[in-house]
Amino acid sequence: MIDAMTDASIASMSQAVVPPAVVGRAGSADASVGTDDVILDVRDLKTHFPVRRGVFSRVEGWVKAVDGVSFSIRRGRTLGLVGESGCGKTTVGRTILRLIEPTAGSVQFAGIDLLAQGRRQMRSLRRRIQIIFQDPVGSLNPRMTVGSIVGEALGVHKIAYGAERRRRVAELLTRCGLSPSHMGRYPHEFSGGQRQRIGIARALALNPDLIVCDEPVSALDVSIQSQILNLLRDLQREMGLSYLFIAHNLAVVEHFSDDVAVMYLGRIVEKAAAEEIYKNPKHPYTQALLAAIPEPDPSRRKALVTLKGEVPSPINPPKGCHFHPRCPLAIERCRQEVPTLIERAGCAAGHVSACHRSDEMRPSTFVEWVGNAGK
């Protein structure tokens, strides 16, 4: 629980100058919603880490883990943040929570500037913003019982003690599909799915408004993933929660998120309502991720199309469009000029992409170009 972390542990982290069917989404995005409905608004967020070398640890470069990210999340809705490993997704989530200090940008939570708050103010605000970590094993203290793990924040924030605390912990465990009898057991006595339920119960202990879900199902079996996703959806409906759902699997995000933002090398390259981005992707990287989703129906087998190469180093990112070294559609303009994240022709309202050739893109363009190149 981030609320239960000591000041020293937080400071040590801040070193920066397809699953079974899941309950359906709440609906598509509405670009006309006013600012009063926005719970989180992130603008031009940057998190750069220094690269130090030599005896005197001189700064010789910067890792641009997050490089100008902007998005917003409305109350009671879910934004899926997707991309390959190393693109900066987790760093975005931890920077929003101030577990990592940003280099620049703005983070507004319910009208409060999080980056302007001191440590004491942030400690109070973390009652309203929680996180579910990716690793259900490493995120739980093996020396603490389940009751102590889930109820720790209630004591830290002086909300409940003794019998009242035990009662609240029992309610949280029951709500997350566990038994109150588990309170006296230790994390190693549970399966991976059960450990993640403990992590979810811990995140719910302070009745937050926003939860950052940092790949909460990536370490779980496919059969367990749908159970956890359905639990998160049910809790959202019951409690009016908002989620920033970080994942690398677009098949998972499709069934869970209302809106989707695709990240590549520290930047958002496309953002739209979930239905729109799957129906009409306008960035070749988005199309590449969609093409990589396995087809579970043998009668609808599709040609295997893979994205060549690795994500470039964020220490020395490519000039122009960061994706151009791996993009089969790249032209000279892509190598020289950074594309702007804007609405393109033929897209629904709120559908933005950062590609010089977006106006030429059809949903099958990437697959066609890669297929022709291989002939």
Side-chain angles (χ1 to χ4, degrees):
M1 190 73 175
I2 60 173
D3 303 276
M5 291 183 176
T6 64
D7 291 343
S9 65
I10 293 177
S12 67
M13 300 177 68
S14 308
Q15 302 297 325
V17 189
V18 170
V22 183
V23 177
R25 294 184 295 269
S28 58
D30 183 356
S32 65
V33 175
T35 55
D36 291 344
D37 198 45
V38 173
I39 185 73
L40 181 70
D41 187 58
V42 178
R43 294 295 155 206
D44 200 28
L45 184 65
K46 297 181 181 180
T47 305
H48 299 171
F49 298 92
V51 178
R52 302 180 185 274
R53 291 191 177 95
V55 177
F56 299 103
S57 297
R58 291 191 177 95
V59 176
E60 295 189 359
W62 295 88
V63 177
K64 298 179 180 180
V66 179
D67 196 25
V69 166
S70 299
F71 61 83
S72 60
I73 302 176
R74 291 155 52 195
R75 294 181 185 274
R77 297 178 72 84
T78 301
L79 173 69
L81 188 62
V82 300
E84 293 173 280
S85 297
C87 71
K89 308 183 300 296
T90 294
T91 305
V92 169
R94 291 178 179 246
T95 302
I96 290 170
L97 291 160
R98 296 277 301 276
L99 295 179
I100 298 174
E101 290 298 327
T103 303
S106 169
V107 179
Q108 298 281 333
F109 172 73
I112 302 170
D113 185 358
L114 293 184
L115 305 188
Q117 306 302 309
R119 182 164 294 176
R120 180 172 296 180
Q121 289 79 11
M122 278 304 303
R123 187 184 184 90
S124 177
L125 283 168
R126 288 198 180 102
R127 293 180 60 174
R128 302 177 62 189
I129 317 173
Q130 289 297 301
I131 184 170
I132 300 170
F133 292 99
Q134 176 179 357
D135 184 3
V137 179
S139 63
L140 303 177
N141 190 330
R143 298 187 178 186
M144 295 175 66
T145 64
V146 170
S148 297
I149 290 171
V150 176
E152 182 179 16
L154 296 173
V156 169
H157 288 275
K158 302 178 181 180
I159 295 174
Y161 299 96
E164 175 61 16
R165 175 172 161 178
R166 290 191 294 273
R167 183 189 68 80
R168 290 200 181 195
V169 170
E171 289 180 355
L172 288 165
L173 292 177
T174 301
R175 174 174 280 183
C176 292
L178 297 171
S179 170
S181 62
H182 293 155
M183 291 172 59
R185 295 168 61 178
Y186 290 85
H188 73 271
E189 301 180 66
F190 296 88
S191 67
Q194 289 175 318
R195 291 191 190 108
Q196 198 60 288
R197 290 174 184 269
I198 295 169
I200 294 171
R202 176 178 60 181
L204 294 174
L206 298 175
N207 195 24
D209 299 313
L210 172 71
I211 297 180
V212 175
C213 304
D214 184 12
E215 302 201 41
V217 297
S218 63
L220 306 178
D221 294 338
V222 174
S223 59
I224 304 300
Q225 289 182 13
S226 62
Q227 297 177 18
I228 298 300
L229 292 174
N230 283 328
L231 171 62
L232 290 172
R233 174 60 74 192
D234 291 341
L235 292 170
Q236 184 177 46
R237 288 173 172 169
E238 293 173 13
M239 305 175 67
L241 297 169
S242 302
Y243 294 136
L244 173 59
F245 189 83
I246 298 169
H248 62 265
N249 188 344
L250 272 170
V252 170
V253 174
E254 178 183 11
H255 295 284
F256 189 75
S257 299
D258 300 295
D259 307 293
V260 177
V262 181
M263 276 192 74
Y264 185 79
L265 204 60
R267 297 175 179 172
I268 290 178
V269 297
E270 187 165 11
K271 182 173 58 176
E275 293 180 1
E276 169 71 9
I277 210 167
Y278 284 87
K279 179 177 67 176
N280 187 28
K282 284 293 184 177
H283 196 283
Y285 180 60
T286 307
Q287 293 195 3
L289 293 179
L290 291 171
I293 298 175
E295 175 54 64
D297 186 352
S299 65
R300 298 174 57 189
R301 187 171 299 171
K302 61 183 181 182
L304 180 62
V305 179
T306 57
L307 186 62
K308 305 297 183 182
E310 299 291 335
V311 178
S313 170
I315 299 176
N316 186 26
K319 185 179 179 181
C321 174
H322 286 175
F323 186 59
H324 85 256
R326 306 174 69 191
C327 181
L329 289 78
I331 57 178
E332 186 59 29
R333 184 185 179 191
C334 302
R335 299 179 179 90
Q336 301 298 328
E337 183 182 333
V338 178
T340 306
L341 187 67
I342 58 174
E343 289 190 13
R344 307 286 176 171
C347 296
H351 185 168
V352 295
S353 61
C355 178
H356 295 306
R357 305 190 66 181
S358 284
D359 294 341
E360 307 171 40
M361 297 288 289
R362 303 186 310 277
S364 60
T365 299
F366 176 82
V367 176
E368 293 171 358
W369 275 69
V370 173
N372 292 334
K375 293 181 179 178

